Amino acid sequence: MRLFNQLLAVCLFSACFFSCKNESKNNVSQDTINTYSNYVNTMKSQGIATGNILVYENGNVVFKSSNGLRSINPIDSLDIDSQFRLASVSKQFTGMAIMKLKEAGKLEYDQKVNTILTDFPYDNITVRQLLYHISGLTDYERVIANHFVKEDSTKQYILGNDEILEVFYRVNPELDFNPGEKWDYSNTGYLVLATIVEKVSGQHFRDFLKEHITDPIGMKNTTLYKYKLGADANMPNRVFGYNLALNQQDLVANDYDIVNDVRGDGGIFSTVEDLYKWNMALANHTIIPKAYLDEAWESGQTNDGEYVGYGFGWFLEYNPGEPRVINHSGGWVGFSTFLHNEVDAKSGFVILTNDSGLNFGSIYNNVRRIRAGEDFEMPKKSVYKAMAKQLYKTNVDDAISMYHDVKTDTINYRVSESDINQLGYLLLNENRVDAATKVFKLNMSEYPQSANVYDSYGDALLMQGDSLQALANFKKCFKMDDSLIYANEKAEALENELSKS
């Protein structure tokens, strides 16, 4: 399985800033505010970045902080105005763009996509199905990986919607399922939605967002960024993603991907303060009438009536009749983000990080804990980072022995199938194939009921040249879990190759 860029990172730090208001209307105690500050300062003292955080209650900001690196080349610290890539948090802006076109009478949610995009090769998908992630469109990343031809192997290509859809339309891949049959998170769907906005409005998506969404509510530090590889004088506060090399010593960039110019499913850069403005504009209905938001925050349904828990670009965390809570996470290259909006309470929080998600889960959990009046907890050590450190110090066998020594120490260590799997792929990326194979084999012995471990082991075996055993593991993976389509695709491709030899 492809290793997504949820990699490790060293967390150097910068100054921590916080602001608070003590008005009783905030209903937030000074002890709670102090706990936020103590948490960030404690993380900072241990060299752990927390990125940029903003918390607001009853419409008022009660805490904000900045702690980490804006860039590693040159080394530069974050500040509260740093502009982070939002990744999938961008999807709610795409949903709003579609809503604005609906408000203007320029499209209907149940309109067929191919009545707008005439080259769109499917005649049974609606705009609403794209919004709800129930369209069945396959992943565009997989299509690009398999079918985009690099004419210049030395060039770092940066593809956007036009280039991607050109390949997508040419390949015309089968749908993963019939539209409306089930829910399956789809970046492709939101890419298509942004292209719909451009077709209907006659504007580039960037300009539409600026004119109709961000400028009207004063989001002056928010933009759909035209990606550049290096520093950009026109965007001096831009944040770059980074991580820590597998040797646990070197800082390395984690900012580039071939599809970094895709718009609709990601690509927007913003600040914590601008996102606070956005959440408040939604809560106060200042950007679009309440009736449109009420519809956007109703759960989509599959053809058989099952609720999917997703609206027009937001996950929904409430039941009918309860106070509305909407949110969305984002993860792309070095960035992990989260935007939480308790609409009716006019409260929420923003977390923006760029160190490849090293401690993102811990940061998120601690913001939730502190808001609930609980104390914070320091993050556990990553077992795969400790294994990697040992591996580079001695060898993979010692690293595996160390794993067995600490795996039951759940107080101090975080141990999971995904962690071991990640280490295996990181080793493959560094061409340490034999070591990776042993790590994947360890994962199989620890988690024999997981289908994915067999796919991963198959990847390593294939790189070792053992095609027959690789094929057997791909097939076993798909037999255990037929939703893991990638394993079946690899098995079929490998069988075709073996039949030719």
Side-chain angles (χ1 to χ4, degrees):
M1 183 175 66
R2 177 184 174 187
L3 173 64
F4 289 95
N5 294 308
Q6 300 293 322
L7 302 183
L8 42 159
V10 70
C11 298
L12 304 181
F13 52 84
S14 65
C16 169
F17 305 92
F18 77 95
S19 65
C20 59
K21 299 181 180 181
N22 295 317
E23 294 90 355
S24 59
K25 65 182 179 180
N26 284 331
N27 198 30
V28 177
S29 71
Q30 188 62 46
D31 285 345
T32 297
I33 294 169
N34 289 342
T35 303
Y36 285 121
S37 182
N38 290 339
Y39 166 62
V40 174
N41 284 327
T42 301
M43 294 281 278
K44 171 186 169 184
S45 70
Q46 296 193 23
I48 303 175
T50 49
N52 283 14
I53 299 171
L54 183 145
V55 183
Y56 65 100
E57 305 289 351
N58 303 308
N60 297 289
V61 176
V62 297
F63 176 81
K64 56 185 176 182
S65 68
S66 187
N67 165 36
L69 291 176
R70 186 188 68 83
S71 70
I72 62 170
N73 186 24
I75 294 291
D76 188 29
S77 299
L78 293 169
D79 61 37
I80 209 65
D81 295 321
S82 294
Q83 294 169 280
F84 290 74
R85 178 185 280 273
L86 299 186
S88 287
V89 170
S90 303
K91 286 183 171 67
Q92 57 199 268
F93 293 92
T94 305
M96 178 58 70
I98 293 292
M99 293 157 64
K100 296 295 286 186
L101 291 176
K102 163 71 171 174
E103 180 189 26
K106 294 184 177 181
L107 61 68
E108 297 295 330
Y109 297 144
D110 293 316
Q111 187 172 351
K112 296 290 181 64
V113 173
N114 69 347
T115 66
I116 304 169
L117 305 178
T118 55
D119 291 333
F120 191 73
Y122 313 99
D123 61 4
N124 56 346
I125 295 175
T126 67
V127 173
R128 188 186 299 273
Q129 288 169 334
L130 296 178
L131 289 164
Y132 284 148
H133 296 293
I134 57 175
S135 69
L137 286 174
T138 200
D139 180 40
Y140 70 78
E141 285 185 76
R142 187 183 306 119
V143 172
I144 291 299
N146 293 334
H147 298 283
F148 177 72
V149 178
K150 297 181 180 180
E151 296 180 357
D152 182 352
S153 61
T154 65
K155 178 181 176 181
Q156 281 189 296
Y157 287 83
I158 304 171
L159 307 183
N161 290 30
D162 297 342
E163 298 90 343
I164 292 169
L165 286 177
E166 181 182 353
V167 177
F168 203 92
Y169 292 165
R170 172 172 57 81
V171 174
N172 191 14
E174 291 185 8
L175 296 176
D176 289 344
F177 53 86
N178 291 326
E181 185 175 275
K182 63 180 181 179
W183 186 90
D184 190 27
Y185 190 82
S186 173
N187 285 315
T188 307
Y190 273 74
L191 177 158
V192 173
L193 286 168
T195 301
I196 288 173
V197 172
E198 293 181 336
K199 179 70 173 181
V200 173
S201 69
Q203 292 180 284
H204 191 281
F205 193 53
R206 178 182 304 106
D207 299 326
F208 186 92
L209 292 174
K210 178 177 172 61
E211 178 180 342
H212 298 279
I213 298 176
T214 58
D215 275 3
I217 56 177
M219 297 176 69
K220 300 300 183 183
N221 294 309
T222 300
T223 185
L224 176 68
Y225 183 59
K226 176 65 176 175
Y227 185 79
K228 293 185 178 180
L229 288 172
D232 185 350
N234 294 320
M235 198 168 171
N237 292 325
R238 169 190 167 192
V239 173
F240 293 83
Y242 69 95
N243 59 34
L244 184 66
L246 191 54
N247 63 17
Q248 306 302 298
Q249 293 182 349
D250 301 325
L251 285 171
V252 294
N254 185 20
D255 198 77
Y256 165 80
D257 191 279
I258 191 172
V259 294
N260 261 1
D261 254 355
V262 173
R263 47 200 186 271
D265 71 327
I268 294 177
F269 280 65
S270 189
T271 67
V272 289
E273 291 184 328
D274 266 15
L275 292 172
Y276 159 67
K277 292 178 182 178
W278 166 250
N279 271 6
M280 290 304 299
L282 294 172
N284 292 324
H285 316 127
T286 58
I287 189 168
I288 201 167
K290 180 177 181 295
Y292 288 90
L293 292 171
D294 288 343
E295 185 172 6
W297 297 333
E298 289 181 358
S299 174
Q301 292 178 266
T302 57
N303 294 339
D304 61 3
E306 181 180 355
Y307 289 98
V308 301
Y310 198 93
F312 292 177
W314 291 270
F315 284 96
L316 312 176
E317 287 193 4
Y318 66 96
N319 295 314
E322 295 179 351
R324 290 173 297 180
V325 178
I326 60 175
N327 53 43
H328 213 292
S329 61
W332 185 247
V333 287
F335 295 85
S336 294
T337 61
F338 199 89
L339 181 58
H340 183 78
N341 188 353
E342 297 170 9
V343 180
D344 296 328
K346 296 185 179 179
S347 300
F349 60 87
V350 188
I351 304 172
L352 305 177
T353 69
N354 63 316
D355 64 354
S356 300
L358 174 60
N359 290 293
F360 184 80
S362 174
I363 297 165
Y364 169 83
N365 287 333
N366 278 313
V367 170
R368 298 290 294 250
R369 288 177 62 86
I370 297 169
R371 290 188 75 221
E374 302 171 7
D375 202 359
F376 61 85
E377 296 178 345
M378 294 301 289
K380 296 179 180 180
K381 299 175 185 178
S382 165
V383 72
Y384 94 77
K385 289 173 67 69
M387 289 176 68
K389 186 174 183 179
Q390 183 63 51
L391 189 152
Y392 273 83
K393 184 179 179 181
T394 55
N395 56 58
V396 66
D397 294 327
D398 287 349
I400 291 173
S401 294
M402 188 222 70
Y403 167 83
H404 287 296
D405 289 340
V406 305
K407 69 178 183 180
T408 58
D409 183 5
T410 55
I411 295 176
N412 295 306
Y413 283 89
R414 183 182 71 246
V415 180
S416 70
E417 173 198 336
S418 61
D419 263 9
I420 304 173
N421 200 59
Q422 187 171 21
L423 174 58
Y425 277 107
L426 289 168
L427 290 167
L428 283 184
N429 288 346
E430 298 199 355
N431 205 33
R432 300 185 66 139
V433 181
D434 290 343
T437 305
K438 288 186 176 182
V439 169
F440 287 134
K441 194 169 184 179
L442 167 69
N443 220 14
M444 287 169 52
S445 66
E446 294 291 292
Y447 301 95
Q449 302 306 313
S450 168
N452 186 62
V453 297
Y454 299 97
D455 172 76
S456 301
Y457 186 51
D459 284 339
L461 290 170
L462 193 59
M463 290 187 69
Q464 279 190 325
D466 192 344
S467 299
L468 291 177
Q469 285 302 311
L471 177 61
N473 278 275
F474 293 147
K475 286 185 172 181
K476 184 171 184 177
C477 170
F478 187 66
K479 183 177 181 181
M480 291 176 66
D481 185 348
D482 61 9
S483 71
L484 301 183
I485 298 171
Y486 52 81
N488 190 48
E489 290 175 343
K490 284 186 277 191
E492 290 178 347
L494 188 53
E495 281 187 315
N496 288 335
E497 288 297 317
L498 290 172
S499 67
K500 296 175 184 178
S501 58

